[in-house]
Amino acid sequence: MSDVLLQLDGVSQQYGRGETAVTALSGVDLTVHVGELVAIMGASGSGKSTLLTIAGGLTSPTSGEVIVEGKWLSTMSAKDVAILRRRSLGFVFQDFNLIPALTAVENVALPLELDGWKHRRARSAAMDALGTVELTDRASHFPDDLSGGQQQRVAIARAVVGTRRIILADEPTGALDSTTGELVLRMLRRRVDAGAGGILVTHDARHAAWADRIVFLRDGRIVDESSSRGVEALLTSTVRE
Amino acid sequence: MHILENYILLEVIVSVRQSLLAILDQGPCYGYQLKSEFDRRTGSTWPLNVGQVYNTLERLERDGFVERTDADADDQKNYRITAAGHAEVATWLGSPVVRTAAARDELAIKLAVAVTLPGVDIINVIQVQRGATLRSLQELTRTKNATDDPETAEQLSWLLVVDSLIFQAEAEVRWLDHSETRLARAAASGVASAVPLNYEVPKRGRPAGTTRVAQAR
Ligand SMILES: Nc1ncnc2c1ncn2[C@@H]1O[C@H](COP(=O)(O)OP(=O)(O)OP(=O)(O)O)[C@@H](O)[C@H]1O
Ligand SMILES: [Mg+2]
């Protein structure tokens, strides 16, 4: 299907070997469509961050397949995965991860410039992305001169800049107060509705509720899915059996 | 807005009485007028019927907090607040609401009993509940997302109510997560085993056959 942005197929991940081996994920299937935000919940150590780093091609799984915009990561060279990551995927972490020496717009433009875009074109795309998170007026501020919520909105802009359509967010609201966290999620939601897709890892049910689907992990397995799409989603989640 | 009605099972009697009194503190009202004032100030989340309003008014009158003005030509009863009623409103606004045993306890009771029953998958009970609560939470969030910025005082009231429901649902999910972890730990240490029926308990006032029937099962 062409509206599938990201697919995990029977993904398992083990750390270590023998007695001390830890199974962080086992047999996880997950699909993210265009316009869809999927929340991952689960206790600490249940495998949420592992799932996200595998989905983003930062770690390759012990077994199973990751398919990003139709491309099978297992068949690609490390270099090509790095390029795909830069062009298709955006990460948002709890601690913003902005480069302090660069302004907001330079932070957002960076992945494009690394990808060889002309400075001017990269900057204009970065301004567009800042516009979607309503921060055009802060474009030339340095991260230190922005509030936590504003920095996180810059991180979202960076995650969706240029051709990037897949947002992978790990506790993006963890360091923010309740109202600011909600604002960040509203922005994320709006961006997804405009034609992106993403995975949101969170401990907070109130934040997970912004997603279309909430997936529950326990000991590396998906144990529960709550969907606001009703029957339709129930069907797609039984297909994988 | 009516999607909210599905999961609102709150005890509202006390706050209805005090709210009606607080509205009357703004000026005299007829019963139906009071009903619509209450509804629009609470986003019609807990709509009142006129009968309820008149019942409440009668009790407020008995307690000396309101009094009737002369009925008008249509024989409509008009009420106004008394000095004692005015003081009562000030007391209400200045004191905390004490939560009484409400809807949530139904779930606490269910889990407390379920954990003592043999052959009940309590983790599954929790999971089913969490799924349902998360779906409510999603629905509430979508409702809220549709009203980005409140444009009127009524919308603002209504968003306060929606937020309250969202935070309650969140608290329930947190409690369920916590219970799940507690149960897993208890299972590991062997505490979480079923509680068998106790036949030593005096069977005061019970028909003689009850015990034998239970034992036979
Ligand atoms: N690099 C690693 N080497 C060994 N074990 C790891 C590694 N990364 C994660 N693990 C283990 O894998 C399991 C899942 O970890 P993960 O970080 O995915 O959990 P999480 O759900 O994100 O937890 P949290 O909510 O605390 O962030 C844990 O038992 C963890 O100790
Ligand atoms: Mg984590």
Side-chain angles (χ1 to χ4, degrees), chain A residues 48-49 170 201:
Chain A
K48 305 182 296 295
S49 296
D170 199 346
V201 167

Side-chain angles (χ1 to χ4, degrees), chain A residues 43-50 94 170-171 201 203:
Chain A
S44 184
S46 58
K48 305 182 296 295
S49 296
T50 302
Q94 179 170 348
D170 199 346
E171 294 283 354
V201 167
H203 278 114

Side-chain angles (χ1 to χ4, degrees), chain A residues 182 186 204 206 211 218 223, chain B residues 127 138 144 148 170 180:
Chain A
E182 187 177 307
R186 215 183 263 279
D204 191 332
R206 200 158 36 82
R218 188 183 318 124
V223 290
Chain B
Q127 224 157 276
Q138 283 174 292
K144 179 164 91 162
D148 207 337
E170 182 201 18
E180 189 176 331

Side-chain angles (χ1 to χ4, degrees), chain A residues 16 25-26 51 73 98 101-102 105 116 122 129 146 165 176 181-182 185 211:
Chain A
L25 288 179
S26 59
L51 188 154
L73 298 195
L98 299 178
L102 300 182
V105 66
L146 296 170
R165 284 202 303 165
L176 306 175
E182 187 177 307
L185 285 165

Side-chain angles (χ1 to χ4, degrees), chain A residues 178 182 186 189 204-206 209-212 214 216 218 223-224 226-228, chain B residues 123 127 130-131 134-135 137-138 141-142 144-145 148 166-167 170 173 177 180:
Chain A
S178 162
E182 187 177 307
R186 215 183 263 279
R189 179 74 252 181
D204 191 332
R206 200 158 36 82
W210 286 84
D212 301 288
I214 303 174
F216 221 86
R218 188 183 318 124
V223 290
D224 204 9
S226 114
S227 162
S228 54
Chain B
I123 299 296
Q127 224 157 276
R130 185 169 42 216
L134 284 173
R135 275 189 292 278
L137 203 49
Q138 283 174 292
T141 304
R142 243 197 325 269
K144 179 164 91 162
N145 194 20
D148 207 337
I166 284 176
F167 277 88
E170 182 201 18
V173 171
D177 289 347
E180 189 176 331

Side-chain angles (χ1 to χ4, degrees), chain B residues 91-167:
Chain B
T91 306
W92 177 56
L93 291 174
S95 51
V97 169
V98 178
R99 300 246 175 230
T100 51
R104 172 83 52 76
D105 282 7
E106 218 176 292
L107 184 53
I109 291 167
K110 184 174 173 181
L111 286 195
V113 171
V115 77
T116 67
L117 304 176
V120 171
D121 182 355
I122 184 88
I123 299 296
N124 188 52
V125 174
I126 289 178
Q127 224 157 276
V128 165
Q129 183 68 40
R130 185 169 42 216
T133 309
L134 284 173
R135 275 189 292 278
S136 309
L137 203 49
Q138 283 174 292
E139 222 171 301
L140 287 163
T141 304
R142 243 197 325 269
T143 308
K144 179 164 91 162
N145 194 20
T147 314
D148 207 337
D149 282 310
E151 279 156 17
T152 62
E154 280 96 336
Q155 274 182 1
L156 181 62
S157 299
W158 175 70
L159 278 174
L160 288 177
V161 172
V162 172
D163 276 335
S164 158
L165 296 171
I166 284 176
F167 277 88

